[in-house]
Amino acid sequence: MQMANCTKLDWAFFSAHTGLTEPLQYDDRVAARRWGRPLSPSEIGCYASHFKLWEWLVNSDYDQAIIFEDDVITDWAIIEQLSATRFGDYGINLLKLHTLYPFQFKIIKYRLFSPQTHLVRIVGMVLGAVAYLLTKAAARTLVSNYSIVAAPVDWVLARYWEHRTVGYCMFPFPVIERHSPSTIGDERHAVSRSAVYDRIARVGWRIRDRAQRAYVERCLIRKYPLGPTKDSGLPFMRS
């Protein structure tokens, strides 16, 4: 709250969930065959919290929302500029503002808002749901297709080849995560103890999943969806 005192944006806290809520469903067996192990109660609560925010956006009067988890440090000046831009008009329905790991990417637009900000497309599985912009169209897709909890929420967001909501990222990140222990806990790193049949089923599912990802990358995603880019001239999205 203290860090947000400098902004005039309309923002609010959203009460988190600690477990399943309607319409979500969860089954250990499904999670074992997708994620490789059952989810912890904290992971399920995190999933429910984000899902209910997506649901709220679908039923709201807003075209997009910027979602932060509560352990972030934010550059509010650039967030204000992001908020004033209708990203759906550019075909950008998911814009990550932070990721947990180094990742592969393709340059989409140099000089997005300024000579120091750039737009990249995420390639492959990139985890993290600390901060992201989501349009109503993307939220509607997620709510319609992911009421079965089978993996952590950031894993769902990352699967653009499945839900066809291409993931973009702004670089440098306008948000960083505070260095503190995760409240989700270390059980998420536990070694899988799923049954042999479930492990076999997961291997088959992963093979199909990799094939689908390769097809989408090669055949369905345009290299420069916003047109040619060059690292000179005026910013692409000017205030």
Side-chain angles (χ1 to χ4, degrees):
M1 290 179 66
Q2 291 174 350
M3 287 189 293
N5 282 337
C6 63
T7 184
K8 296 181 180 179
L9 288 177
D10 180 20
W11 70 275
F13 284 112
F14 183 85
S15 297
H17 290 262
T18 57
L20 287 177
T21 183
E22 291 290 338
L24 295 177
Q25 302 176 48
Y26 171 74
D27 186 287
D28 278 347
R29 196 79 181 270
V30 175
R33 293 185 178 187
R34 293 293 183 268
W35 181 238
R37 61 165 175 78
L39 300 184
S40 71
S42 297
E43 287 173 318
I44 294 172
C46 183
Y47 191 111
S49 299
H50 283 269
F51 186 94
K52 296 305 286 187
L53 269 168
W54 306 339
E55 196 175 62
W56 168 84
L57 177 57
V58 169
N59 295 317
S60 75
D61 296 326
Y62 295 100
D63 295 316
Q64 63 186 25
I66 298 176
I67 299 171
F68 300 133
E69 293 186 347
D70 63 3
D71 55 350
V72 298
I73 300 172
T74 304
D75 181 350
W76 283 104
I78 192 65
I79 296 302
E80 290 176 2
Q81 200 161 0
L82 291 173
S83 299
T85 304
R86 291 172 56 97
F87 280 88
D89 293 347
Y90 298 92
I92 300 171
N93 292 298
L94 173 60
L95 179 67
K96 288 199 170 188
L97 307 177
H98 180 276
T99 66
L100 294 179
Y101 305 98
F103 62 98
Q104 294 184 3
F105 62 88
K106 302 287 187 182
I107 293 289
I108 300 300
K109 276 294 178 185
Y110 288 110
R111 307 170 78 87
L112 182 65
F113 288 115
S114 70
Q116 294 80 36
T117 60
H118 313 288
L119 179 71
V120 303
R121 180 178 71 81
I122 294 170
V123 178
M125 179 67 76
V126 177
L127 300 179
V130 171
Y132 57 96
L133 182 148
L134 193 71
T135 66
K136 179 175 288 190
R140 187 177 293 114
T141 296
L142 294 171
V143 168
S144 299
N145 293 282
Y146 293 97
S147 61
I148 304 298
V149 182
V153 67
D154 57 343
W155 192 78
V156 169
L157 282 173
R159 297 177 56 74
Y160 60 87
W161 57 91
E162 183 176 78
H163 49 61
R164 306 298 168 88
T165 301
V166 177
Y168 295 93
C169 188
M170 183 176 166
F171 187 84
F173 300 145
V175 173
I176 59 176
E177 186 177 20
R178 288 179 179 272
H179 290 277
S180 59
S182 171
T183 56
I184 293 179
D186 292 332
E187 60 266 31
R188 56 184 167 159
H189 303 301
V191 177
S192 172
R193 297 178 181 176
S194 55
V196 172
Y197 183 79
D198 290 335
R199 293 200 296 270
I200 294 172
R202 183 170 184 255
V203 169
W205 178 82
R206 291 184 66 184
I207 291 171
R208 294 192 302 272
D209 190 59
R210 291 292 179 90
Q212 183 183 37
R213 173 174 150 184
Y215 168 73
V216 170
E217 279 285 347
R218 182 176 293 272
C219 301
L220 299 185
I221 295 181
R222 294 169 56 196
K223 185 175 181 180
Y224 293 112
L226 302 182
T229 186
K230 59 181 181 178
D231 193 9
S232 61
L234 295 173
F236 178 67
M237 296 180 181
R238 284 175 284 175
S239 300

